[in-house]
């Protein structure tokens, strides 16, 4: 049966995120509305016989950048071409843009065959920190008044404007903190409650001490369960501080791009926002 592909409703996106949970991806408990805010048309399903059988996120950020994730085919429908239909629909939606994704090792060769090229590895570290070095800039809880300056800072670390997404991501029920220096925002971080523990992302900061201060502040606010943060493997000193504080590596992905890789201030990126949206 040839599948039909179309944009997912909010309820269907909730089903796709439940599939992600079943895959062990530990999505956030409020991801449905938060994700849809990034791009309401960016979540696509393949349907056969009126049932969703595969899905993908293909989120467009402006005219030049997009990101794919949540690429899942229902286990009982694999091997029938439904996943390929969802993938093709996602790629068609983002055609003409540089496209990013975070791929697991077993899929890396598959993505390379589709034109994606690896740029760096990201390692997930999980744990409950025993102690972290507090930065000189004491974090502040993010309020609506701080959001515009945080958005300007975010533009240093992310390839395109994501105003609508951050308007939701930075405010409750998420926990968001910012380091404010003499020139404004010096870093910010967000924690979201997940099916298990909390994920920290993004964690962007001017330097490692500021990043550690943001992380420690969020750790104190997040009670119950481990913290999880996806760290670029190049952050050797930051990773050493995490390990010393009790974090352990649990999961590795590779950031890959089809098209010219975006120019970012990699020195400020200590934790990526999400593996689903970039």
């Amino acid at each position: 049966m040839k599948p039909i592909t179309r944009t997912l409703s909010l309820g269907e996106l909730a089903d796709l995120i439940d599939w992600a949970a079943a895959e062990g991806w530990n999505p956030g408990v409020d991801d449905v509305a938060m994700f849809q805010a990034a791009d309401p048309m960016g979540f696509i399903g393949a349907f056969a016989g009126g049932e969703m059988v595969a899905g993908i996120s293909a989120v467009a950020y402006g005219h030049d950048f997009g990101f794919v994730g949540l690429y899942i085919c229902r286990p009982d429908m694999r091997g029938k071409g439904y996943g390929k239909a969802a993938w093709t629909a996602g790629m068609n939606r983002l055609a003409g843009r540089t496209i990013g994704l975070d791929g697991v090792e077993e899929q890396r060769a598959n993505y390379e065959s589709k034109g994606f090229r690896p740029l760096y590895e990201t390692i997930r570290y999980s744990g409950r920190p025993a102690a972290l070095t507090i930065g000189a800039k004491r974090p502040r809880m993010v309020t609506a008044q701080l959001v515009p300056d945080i958005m300007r800072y975010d533009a240093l670390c992310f390839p395109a404007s994501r105003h609508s997404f951050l308007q939701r991501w930075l405010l409750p029920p998420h926990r968001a903190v910012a380091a404010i220096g003499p020139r404004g925002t010096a870093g910010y971080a967000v924690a979201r409650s997940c099916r298990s523990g909390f994920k920290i992302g993004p964690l962007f900061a001017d330097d490692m001490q500021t990043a550690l201060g943001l992380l420690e502040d969020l750790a104190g606010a997040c009670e119950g369960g481990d913290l999880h943060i996806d760290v670029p493997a190049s952050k050797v000193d930051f990773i050493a501080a995490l390990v010393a504080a009790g974090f352990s590596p649990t999961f590795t992905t590779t950031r890959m791009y089809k098209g010219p890789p975006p120019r970012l201030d990699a020195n400020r990126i200590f934790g990526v926002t999400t593996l689903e949206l970039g």
Side-chain angles (χ1 to χ4, degrees), residues 140-220:
R140 293 168 52 184
M141 293 299 296
V142 170
T143 61
Q145 290 74 22
L146 293 177
V147 169
D149 196 58
I150 290 172
M151 287 184 178
R152 285 190 286 271
Y153 191 89
D154 186 76
L156 301 172
C157 307
F158 196 79
S161 172
R162 45 180 181 173
H163 181 274
S164 297
F165 170 71
L166 289 176
Q167 285 280 18
R168 295 294 299 269
W169 199 254
L170 288 168
L171 299 177
H174 290 179
R175 298 167 174 85
V177 292
I180 307 299
R183 298 182 180 180
T185 301
Y188 83 96
V190 179
R192 79 191 205 265
S193 178
C194 292
R195 306 293 176 98
S196 174
F198 299 84
K199 286 183 181 175
I200 308 296
L203 175 52
F204 299 156
D206 283 356
D207 52 58
M208 188 177 84
Q209 290 302 107
T210 302
L212 290 171
L214 291 165
L215 181 57
E216 182 168 66
D217 202 79
L218 285 178

Side-chain angles (χ1 to χ4, degrees), residues 2 5 18 27 29 31 34 48 74 90 99 111 115 119 122-123 146-147 149 159 166 177 194 220 222 237 239 241 262:
K2 185 176 180 179
T5 57
D18 282 342
V29 298
D31 278 357
M34 299 286 182
R74 214 171 73 188
I99 305 172
Y111 292 134
L119 189 64
T122 298
I123 306 169
L146 293 177
V147 169
D149 196 58
L166 289 176
V177 292
C194 292
C222 296
D237 292 341
I239 287 171

Side-chain angles (χ1 to χ4, degrees), residues 5-238:
T5 57
R6 61 168 174 79
T7 303
L8 298 180
S9 69
L10 201 62
E12 290 161 347
L13 176 55
D15 291 338
L16 181 59
I17 289 175
D18 282 342
W19 290 4
E23 294 288 328
W25 297 355
N26 192 26
V29 298
D30 299 297
D31 278 357
V32 179
M34 299 286 182
F35 281 10
Q36 196 184 52
D39 180 0
M41 305 298 290
F43 300 88
I44 299 168
F47 293 79
E51 295 184 354
M52 184 168 68
V53 291
I56 193 170
S57 59
V59 173
Y61 296 101
H63 298 292
D64 300 319
F65 183 67
F67 203 88
V68 296
L70 288 172
Y71 179 37
I72 308 173
C73 186
R74 214 171 73 188
D76 61 317
M77 291 294 182
R78 291 174 183 170
K80 301 180 180 181
Y82 297 138
K84 182 180 179 181
W87 173 268
T88 299
M91 291 299 100
N92 288 342
R93 182 165 196 274
L94 299 179
R97 297 173 171 84
T98 288
I99 305 172
L101 61 80
D102 287 305
V104 295
E105 180 61 31
E106 55 265 32
Q107 289 297 323
R108 178 168 162 170
N110 180 40
Y111 292 134
E112 286 184 316
S113 73
K114 299 178 187 301
F116 286 81
R117 297 293 176 260
L119 189 64
Y120 63 84
E121 283 195 340
T122 298
I123 306 169
R124 177 168 297 170
Y125 281 85
S126 302
R128 290 295 304 182
L132 291 164
T133 302
I134 298 177
K137 305 175 186 69
R138 188 63 191 175
R140 293 168 52 184
M141 293 299 296
V142 170
T143 61
Q145 290 74 22
L146 293 177
V147 169
D149 196 58
I150 290 172
M151 287 184 178
R152 285 190 286 271
Y153 191 89
D154 186 76
L156 301 172
C157 307
F158 196 79
S161 172
R162 45 180 181 173
H163 181 274
S164 297
F165 170 71
L166 289 176
Q167 285 280 18
R168 295 294 299 269
W169 199 254
L170 288 168
L171 299 177
H174 290 179
R175 298 167 174 85
V177 292
I180 307 299
R183 298 182 180 180
T185 301
Y188 83 96
V190 179
R192 79 191 205 265
S193 178
C194 292
R195 306 293 176 98
S196 174
F198 299 84
K199 286 183 181 175
I200 308 296
L203 175 52
F204 299 156
D206 283 356
D207 52 58
M208 188 177 84
Q209 290 302 107
T210 302
L212 290 171
L214 291 165
L215 181 57
E216 182 168 66
D217 202 79
L218 285 178
C222 296
E223 298 180 356
D226 284 348
L227 306 184
H228 311 280
I229 179 170
D230 296 301
V231 184
S234 61
K235 292 294 185 186
V236 176
D237 292 341
F238 183 65

